[in-house]
PDB file of all heavy atoms in Angstrom:
ATOM      1  N   THR A   1     -19.113 -37.040 -83.852  1.00 55.00           N
ATOM      2  CA  THR A   1     -18.869 -36.579 -85.222  1.00 55.00           C
ATOM      3  C   THR A   1     -17.388 -36.624 -85.564  1.00 55.00           C
ATOM      4  O   THR A   1     -16.535 -36.252 -84.746  1.00 55.00           O
ATOM      5  CB  THR A   1     -19.400 -35.144 -85.378  1.00 55.00           C
ATOM      6  OG1 THR A   1     -20.783 -35.146 -85.052  1.00 55.00           O
ATOM      7  CG2 THR A   1     -19.216 -34.638 -86.802  1.00 55.00           C
ATOM      8  N   VAL A   2     -17.083 -37.078 -86.760  1.00 57.00           N
ATOM      9  CA  VAL A   2     -15.691 -37.172 -87.201  1.00 57.00           C
ATOM     10  C   VAL A   2     -15.271 -35.861 -87.844  1.00 57.00           C
ATOM     11  O   VAL A   2     -15.981 -35.318 -88.694  1.00 57.00           O
ATOM     12  CB  VAL A   2     -15.531 -38.328 -88.216  1.00 57.00           C
ATOM     13  CG1 VAL A   2     -14.123 -38.337 -88.797  1.00 57.00           C
ATOM     14  CG2 VAL A   2     -15.835 -39.647 -87.541  1.00 57.00           C
ATOM     15  N   ASP A   3     -14.121 -35.332 -87.424  1.00 58.00           N
ATOM     16  CA  ASP A   3     -13.545 -34.150 -88.062  1.00 58.00           C
ATOM     17  C   ASP A   3     -12.451 -34.613 -89.031  1.00 58.00           C
ATOM     18  O   ASP A   3     -11.509 -35.312 -88.644  1.00 58.00           O
ATOM     19  CB  ASP A   3     -12.937 -33.207 -87.028  1.00 58.00           C
ATOM     20  CG  ASP A   3     -13.998 -32.574 -86.140  1.00 58.00           C
ATOM     21  OD1 ASP A   3     -15.122 -32.403 -86.633  1.00 58.00           O
ATOM     22  OD2 ASP A   3     -13.688 -32.269 -84.980  1.00 58.00           O
ATOM     23  N   LEU A   4     -12.537 -34.237 -90.298  1.00 58.00           N
ATOM     24  CA  LEU A   4     -11.566 -34.656 -91.311  1.00 58.00           C
ATOM     25  C   LEU A   4     -11.054 -33.432 -92.035  1.00 58.00           C
ATOM     26  O   LEU A   4     -11.828 -32.660 -92.594  1.00 58.00           O
ATOM     27  CB  LEU A   4     -12.236 -35.625 -92.308  1.00 58.00           C
ATOM     28  CG  LEU A   4     -11.313 -36.237 -93.353  1.00 58.00           C
ATOM     29  CD1 LEU A   4     -10.248 -37.085 -92.694  1.00 58.00           C
ATOM     30  CD2 LEU A   4     -12.127 -37.100 -94.323  1.00 58.00           C
ATOM     31  N   SER A   5      -9.742 -33.230 -91.983  1.00 57.00           N
ATOM     32  CA  SER A   5      -9.128 -32.082 -92.636  1.00 57.00           C
ATOM     33  C   SER A   5      -8.347 -32.560 -93.851  1.00 57.00           C
ATOM     34  O   SER A   5      -7.493 -33.451 -93.737  1.00 57.00           O
ATOM     35  CB  SER A   5      -8.195 -31.356 -91.661  1.00 57.00           C
ATOM     36  OG  SER A   5      -7.519 -30.307 -92.309  1.00 57.00           O
ATOM     37  N   VAL A   6      -8.636 -32.004 -95.047  1.00 58.00           N
ATOM     38  CA  VAL A   6      -7.950 -32.397 -96.290  1.00 58.00           C
ATOM     39  C   VAL A   6      -7.372 -31.155 -96.943  1.00 58.00           C
ATOM     40  O   VAL A   6      -8.008 -30.547 -97.804  1.00 58.00           O
ATOM     41  CB  VAL A   6      -8.925 -33.129 -97.250  1.00 58.00           C
ATOM     42  CG1 VAL A   6      -8.157 -33.683 -98.453  1.00 58.00           C
ATOM     43  CG2 VAL A   6      -9.642 -34.241 -96.534  1.00 58.00           C
ATOM     44  N   PRO A   7      -6.210 -30.702 -96.537  1.00 56.00           N
ATOM     45  CA  PRO A   7      -5.618 -29.510 -97.172  1.00 56.00           C
ATOM     46  C   PRO A   7      -5.052 -29.837 -98.552  1.00 56.00           C
ATOM     47  O   PRO A   7      -4.533 -30.933 -98.776  1.00 56.00           O
ATOM     48  CB  PRO A   7      -4.508 -29.124 -96.204  1.00 56.00           C
ATOM     49  CG  PRO A   7      -4.132 -30.395 -95.538  1.00 56.00           C
ATOM     50  CD  PRO A   7      -5.386 -31.220 -95.446  1.00 56.00           C
ATOM     51  N   ALA A   8      -5.186 -28.924 -99.478  1.00 53.00           N
ATOM     52  CA  ALA A   8      -4.623 -29.114-100.821  1.00 53.00           C
ATOM     53  C   ALA A   8      -3.148 -28.748-100.814  1.00 53.00           C
ATOM     54  O   ALA A   8      -2.751 -27.766-100.192  1.00 53.00           O
ATOM     55  CB  ALA A   8      -5.382 -28.260-101.838  1.00 53.00           C
ATOM     56  N   LYS A   9      -2.302 -29.525-101.541  1.00 55.00           N
ATOM     57  CA  LYS A   9      -0.858 -29.259-101.528  1.00 55.00           C
ATOM     58  C   LYS A   9      -0.520 -27.911-102.139  1.00 55.00           C
ATOM     59  O   LYS A   9       0.403 -27.228-101.729  1.00 55.00           O
ATOM     60  CB  LYS A   9      -0.141 -30.366-102.314  1.00 55.00           C
ATOM     61  CG  LYS A   9      -0.066 -31.691-101.580  1.00 55.00           C
ATOM     62  CD  LYS A   9       0.774 -32.682-102.361  1.00 55.00           C
ATOM     63  CE  LYS A   9       0.917 -33.981-101.579  1.00 55.00           C
ATOM     64  NZ  LYS A   9       1.752 -34.963-102.332  1.00 55.00           N
ATOM     65  N   SER A  10      -1.317 -27.519-103.145  1.00 54.00           N
ATOM     66  CA  SER A  10      -1.018 -26.265-103.822  1.00 54.00           C
ATOM     67  C   SER A  10      -1.567 -25.055-103.097  1.00 54.00           C
ATOM     68  O   SER A  10      -1.450 -23.939-103.578  1.00 54.00           O
ATOM     69  CB  SER A  10      -1.585 -26.301-105.243  1.00 54.00           C
ATOM     70  OG  SER A  10      -2.995 -26.465-105.185  1.00 54.00           O
ATOM     71  N   GLY A  11      -2.192 -25.274-101.934  1.00 56.00           N
ATOM     72  CA  GLY A  11      -2.761 -24.155-101.195  1.00 56.00           C
ATOM     73  C   GLY A  11      -4.181 -23.854-101.571  1.00 56.00           C
ATOM     74  O   GLY A  11      -4.793 -22.944-101.020  1.00 56.00           O
ATOM     75  N   GLY A  12      -4.771 -24.614-102.532  1.00 57.00           N
ATOM     76  CA  GLY A  12      -6.140 -24.389-102.949  1.00 57.00           C
ATOM     77  C   GLY A  12      -7.117 -25.172-102.093  1.00 57.00           C
ATOM     78  O   GLY A  12      -6.820 -25.544-100.954  1.00 57.00           O
ATOM     79  N   THR A  13      -8.285 -25.475-102.632  1.00 63.00           N
ATOM     80  CA  THR A  13      -9.300 -26.220-101.910  1.00 63.00           C
ATOM     81  C   THR A  13      -9.689 -27.453-102.699  1.00 63.00           C
ATOM     82  O   THR A  13      -9.444 -27.540-103.909  1.00 63.00           O
ATOM     83  CB  THR A  13     -10.545 -25.356-101.680  1.00 63.00           C
ATOM     84  OG1 THR A  13     -11.072 -24.955-102.941  1.00 63.00           O
ATOM     85  CG2 THR A  13     -10.231 -24.125-100.843  1.00 63.00           C
ATOM     86  N   VAL A  14     -10.339 -28.410-102.031  1.00 66.00           N
ATOM     87  CA  VAL A  14     -10.835 -29.612-102.695  1.00 66.00           C
ATOM     88  C   VAL A  14     -12.189 -29.303-103.315  1.00 66.00           C
ATOM     89  O   VAL A  14     -13.119 -28.901-102.618  1.00 66.00           O
ATOM     90  CB  VAL A  14     -10.959 -30.773-101.692  1.00 66.00           C
ATOM     91  CG1 VAL A  14     -11.549 -31.999-102.383  1.00 66.00           C
ATOM     92  CG2 VAL A  14      -9.605 -31.089-101.091  1.00 66.00           C
ATOM     93  N   ALA A  15     -12.309 -29.479-104.617  1.00 70.00           N
ATOM     94  CA  ALA A  15     -13.558 -29.174-105.305  1.00 70.00           C
ATOM     95  C   ALA A  15     -14.597 -30.248-105.025  1.00 70.00           C
ATOM     96  O   ALA A  15     -14.280 -31.442-104.970  1.00 70.00           O
ATOM     97  CB  ALA A  15     -13.316 -29.052-106.812  1.00 70.00           C
ATOM     98  N   TRP A  16     -15.840 -29.818-104.800  1.00 70.00           N
ATOM     99  CA  TRP A  16     -16.929 -30.760-104.539  1.00 70.00           C
ATOM    100  C   TRP A  16     -17.113 -31.731-105.711  1.00 70.00           C
ATOM    101  O   TRP A  16     -17.416 -32.911-105.519  1.00 70.00           O
ATOM    102  CB  TRP A  16     -18.220 -29.975-104.281  1.00 70.00           C
ATOM    103  CG  TRP A  16     -19.391 -30.836-103.873  1.00 70.00           C
ATOM    104  CD1 TRP A  16     -20.368 -31.314-104.671  1.00 70.00           C
ATOM    105  CD2 TRP A  16     -19.658 -31.344-102.562  1.00 70.00           C
ATOM    106  NE1 TRP A  16     -21.249 -32.080-103.964  1.00 70.00           N
ATOM    107  CE2 TRP A  16     -20.835 -32.111-102.639  1.00 70.00           C
ATOM    108  CE3 TRP A  16     -19.015 -31.225-101.329  1.00 70.00           C
ATOM    109  CZ2 TRP A  16     -21.395 -32.761-101.553  1.00 70.00           C
ATOM    110  CZ3 TRP A  16     -19.573 -31.865-100.233  1.00 70.00           C
ATOM    111  CH2 TRP A  16     -20.740 -32.628-100.345  1.00 70.00           C
ATOM    112  N   SER A  17     -16.883 -31.246-106.926  1.00 69.00           N
ATOM    113  CA  SER A  17     -17.073 -32.085-108.125  1.00 69.00           C
ATOM    114  C   SER A  17     -16.048 -33.199-108.198  1.00 69.00           C
ATOM    115  O   SER A  17     -16.242 -34.183-108.927  1.00 69.00           O
ATOM    116  CB  SER A  17     -17.009 -31.218-109.387  1.00 69.00           C
ATOM    117  OG  SER A  17     -15.749 -30.554-109.462  1.00 69.00           O
ATOM    118  N   ASN A  18     -14.930 -33.090-107.462  1.00 68.00           N
ATOM    119  CA  ASN A  18     -13.894 -34.122-107.487  1.00 68.00           C
ATOM    120  C   ASN A  18     -14.181 -35.262-106.520  1.00 68.00           C
ATOM    121  O   ASN A  18     -13.436 -36.236-106.476  1.00 68.00           O
ATOM    122  CB  ASN A  18     -12.538 -33.510-107.150  1.00 68.00           C
ATOM    123  CG  ASN A  18     -12.047 -32.586-108.244  1.00 68.00           C
ATOM    124  OD1 ASN A  18     -12.438 -32.720-109.404  1.00 68.00           O
ATOM    125  ND2 ASN A  18     -11.185 -31.645-107.889  1.00 68.00           N
ATOM    126  N   ILE A  19     -15.249 -35.123-105.699  1.00 73.00           N
ATOM    127  CA  ILE A  19     -15.595 -36.167-104.746  1.00 73.00           C
ATOM    128  C   ILE A  19     -16.612 -37.089-105.398  1.00 73.00           C
ATOM    129  O   ILE A  19     -17.734 -36.680-105.726  1.00 73.00           O
ATOM    130  CB  ILE A  19     -16.160 -35.564-103.446  1.00 73.00           C
ATOM    131  CG1 ILE A  19     -15.123 -34.636-102.817  1.00 73.00           C
ATOM    132  CG2 ILE A  19     -16.548 -36.666-102.466  1.00 73.00           C
ATOM    133  CD1 ILE A  19     -15.609 -33.939-101.576  1.00 73.00           C
ATOM    134  N   ILE A  20     -16.200 -38.375-105.613  1.00 71.00           N
ATOM    135  CA  ILE A  20     -17.062 -39.340-106.294  1.00 71.00           C
ATOM    136  C   ILE A  20     -18.171 -39.795-105.350  1.00 71.00           C
ATOM    137  O   ILE A  20     -17.914 -40.117-104.188  1.00 71.00           O
ATOM    138  CB  ILE A  20     -16.246 -40.543-106.768  1.00 71.00           C
ATOM    139  CG1 ILE A  20     -15.172 -40.097-107.773  1.00 71.00           C
ATOM    140  CG2 ILE A  20     -17.143 -41.614-107.395  1.00 71.00           C
ATOM    141  CD1 ILE A  20     -14.252 -41.201-108.204  1.00 71.00           C
ATOM    142  N   GLY A  21     -19.398 -39.814-105.845  1.00 71.00           N
ATOM    143  CA  GLY A  21     -20.524 -40.296-105.055  1.00 71.00           C
ATOM    144  C   GLY A  21     -21.108 -39.266-104.105  1.00 71.00           C
ATOM    145  O   GLY A  21     -21.964 -39.598-103.285  1.00 71.00           O
ATOM    146  N   ALA A  22     -20.647 -38.018-104.161  1.00 73.00           N
ATOM    147  CA  ALA A  22     -21.199 -36.985-103.275  1.00 73.00           C
ATOM    148  C   ALA A  22     -22.642 -36.695-103.661  1.00 73.00           C
ATOM    149  O   ALA A  22     -22.978 -36.619-104.844  1.00 73.00           O
ATOM    150  CB  ALA A  22     -20.367 -35.718-103.371  1.00 73.00           C
ATOM    151  N   PRO A  23     -23.559 -36.525-102.688  1.00 72.00           N
ATOM    152  CA  PRO A  23     -24.977 -36.246-103.010  1.00 72.00           C
ATOM    153  C   PRO A  23     -25.134 -34.849-103.581  1.00 72.00           C
ATOM    154  O   PRO A  23     -24.319 -33.957-103.334  1.00 72.00           O
ATOM    155  CB  PRO A  23     -25.670 -36.365-101.650  1.00 72.00           C
ATOM    156  CG  PRO A  23     -24.602 -36.060-100.661  1.00 72.00           C
ATOM    157  CD  PRO A  23     -23.332 -36.603-101.230  1.00 72.00           C
ATOM    158  N   SER A  24     -26.201 -34.674-104.358  1.00 70.00           N
ATOM    159  CA  SER A  24     -26.453 -33.360-104.954  1.00 70.00           C
ATOM    160  C   SER A  24     -26.963 -32.357-103.930  1.00 70.00           C
ATOM    161  O   SER A  24     -26.827 -31.144-104.107  1.00 70.00           O
ATOM    162  CB  SER A  24     -27.469 -33.491-106.103  1.00 70.00           C
ATOM    163  OG  SER A  24     -28.680 -34.047-105.609  1.00 70.00           O
ATOM    164  N   SER A  25     -27.580 -32.833-102.865  1.00 68.00           N
ATOM    165  CA  SER A  25     -28.055 -31.943-101.793  1.00 68.00           C
ATOM    166  C   SER A  25     -28.117 -32.746-100.507  1.00 68.00           C
ATOM    167  O   SER A  25     -28.130 -33.977-100.523  1.00 68.00           O
ATOM    168  CB  SER A  25     -29.436 -31.359-102.127  1.00 68.00           C
ATOM    169  OG  SER A  25     -30.400 -32.399-102.213  1.00 68.00           O
ATOM    170  N   PHE A  26     -28.132 -32.050 -99.389  1.00 71.00           N
ATOM    171  CA  PHE A  26     -28.188 -32.695 -98.094  1.00 71.00           C
ATOM    172  C   PHE A  26     -29.612 -32.644 -97.534  1.00 71.00           C
ATOM    173  O   PHE A  26     -30.385 -31.742 -97.843  1.00 71.00           O
ATOM    174  CB  PHE A  26     -27.241 -31.991 -97.112  1.00 71.00           C
ATOM    175  CG  PHE A  26     -25.800 -32.278 -97.406  1.00 71.00           C
ATOM    176  CD1 PHE A  26     -25.019 -31.356 -98.078  1.00 71.00           C
ATOM    177  CD2 PHE A  26     -25.228 -33.478 -97.011  1.00 71.00           C
ATOM    178  CE1 PHE A  26     -23.697 -31.623 -98.347  1.00 71.00           C
ATOM    179  CE2 PHE A  26     -23.900 -33.751 -97.274  1.00 71.00           C
ATOM    180  CZ  PHE A  26     -23.121 -32.823 -97.948  1.00 71.00           C
ATOM    181  N   PRO A  27     -29.982 -33.610 -96.676  1.00 71.00           N
ATOM    182  CA  PRO A  27     -31.319 -33.568 -96.033  1.00 71.00           C
ATOM    183  C   PRO A  27     -31.452 -32.297 -95.204  1.00 71.00           C
ATOM    184  O   PRO A  27     -30.458 -31.758 -94.720  1.00 71.00           O
ATOM    185  CB  PRO A  27     -31.314 -34.823 -95.156  1.00 71.00           C
ATOM    186  CG  PRO A  27     -30.247 -35.700 -95.718  1.00 71.00           C
ATOM    187  CD  PRO A  27     -29.216 -34.767 -96.283  1.00 71.00           C
ATOM    188  N   PRO A  28     -32.712 -31.794 -94.950  1.00 78.00           N
ATOM    189  CA  PRO A  28     -33.942 -32.399 -95.476  1.00 78.00           C
ATOM    190  C   PRO A  28     -34.163 -32.046 -96.935  1.00 78.00           C
ATOM    191  O   PRO A  28     -33.749 -30.988 -97.391  1.00 78.00           O
ATOM    192  CB  PRO A  28     -35.031 -31.775 -94.593  1.00 78.00           C
ATOM    193  CG  PRO A  28     -34.482 -30.443 -94.212  1.00 78.00           C
ATOM    194  CD  PRO A  28     -32.995 -30.637 -94.056  1.00 78.00           C
ATOM    195  N   SER A  29     -34.818 -32.951 -97.653  1.00 78.00           N
ATOM    196  CA  SER A  29     -35.141 -32.716 -99.052  1.00 78.00           C
ATOM    197  C   SER A  29     -36.471 -33.386 -99.352  1.00 78.00           C
ATOM    198  O   SER A  29     -36.993 -34.132 -98.519  1.00 78.00           O
ATOM    199  CB  SER A  29     -34.031 -33.271 -99.958  1.00 78.00           C
ATOM    200  OG  SER A  29     -33.926 -34.676 -99.796  1.00 78.00           O
ATOM    201  N   GLY A  30     -37.034 -33.087-100.484  1.00 83.00           N
ATOM    202  CA  GLY A  30     -38.304 -33.680-100.849  1.00 83.00           C
ATOM    203  C   GLY A  30     -39.482 -32.886-100.317  1.00 83.00           C
ATOM    204  O   GLY A  30     -39.357 -31.739 -99.879  1.00 83.00           O
ATOM    205  N   PRO A  31     -40.694 -33.513-100.313  1.00 87.00           N
ATOM    206  CA  PRO A  31     -41.911 -32.805 -99.884  1.00 87.00           C
ATOM    207  C   PRO A  31     -41.868 -32.459 -98.384  1.00 87.00           C
ATOM    208  O   PRO A  31     -41.360 -33.221 -97.564  1.00 87.00           O
ATOM    209  CB  PRO A  31     -43.032 -33.816-100.177  1.00 87.00           C
ATOM    210  CG  PRO A  31     -42.444 -34.781-101.137  1.00 87.00           C
ATOM    211  CD  PRO A  31     -40.990 -34.851-100.831  1.00 87.00           C
ATOM    212  N   ALA A  32     -42.409 -31.311 -98.034  1.00 85.00           N
ATOM    213  CA  ALA A  32     -42.505 -30.880 -96.635  1.00 85.00           C
ATOM    214  C   ALA A  32     -43.809 -31.377 -96.030  1.00 85.00           C
ATOM    215  O   ALA A  32     -44.776 -31.638 -96.737  1.00 85.00           O
ATOM    216  CB  ALA A  32     -42.428 -29.355 -96.544  1.00 85.00           C
TER     217      ALA A  32
END
């Protein structure tokens, strides 16, 4: 597994909405 650290310069956090192409939810999803 790759560990990736992205600290914000202003001391804040990276917003999920700012990541292009991010999925709306993670597996598992759909019918059980």
Side-chain angles (χ1 to χ4, degrees):
T1 302
V2 174
D3 292 330
L4 185 63
S5 176
V6 187
K9 286 186 177 181
S10 61
T13 60
V14 177
W16 185 263
S17 59
N18 291 336
I19 301 177
I20 299 175
S24 59
S25 63
F26 287 101
S29 63

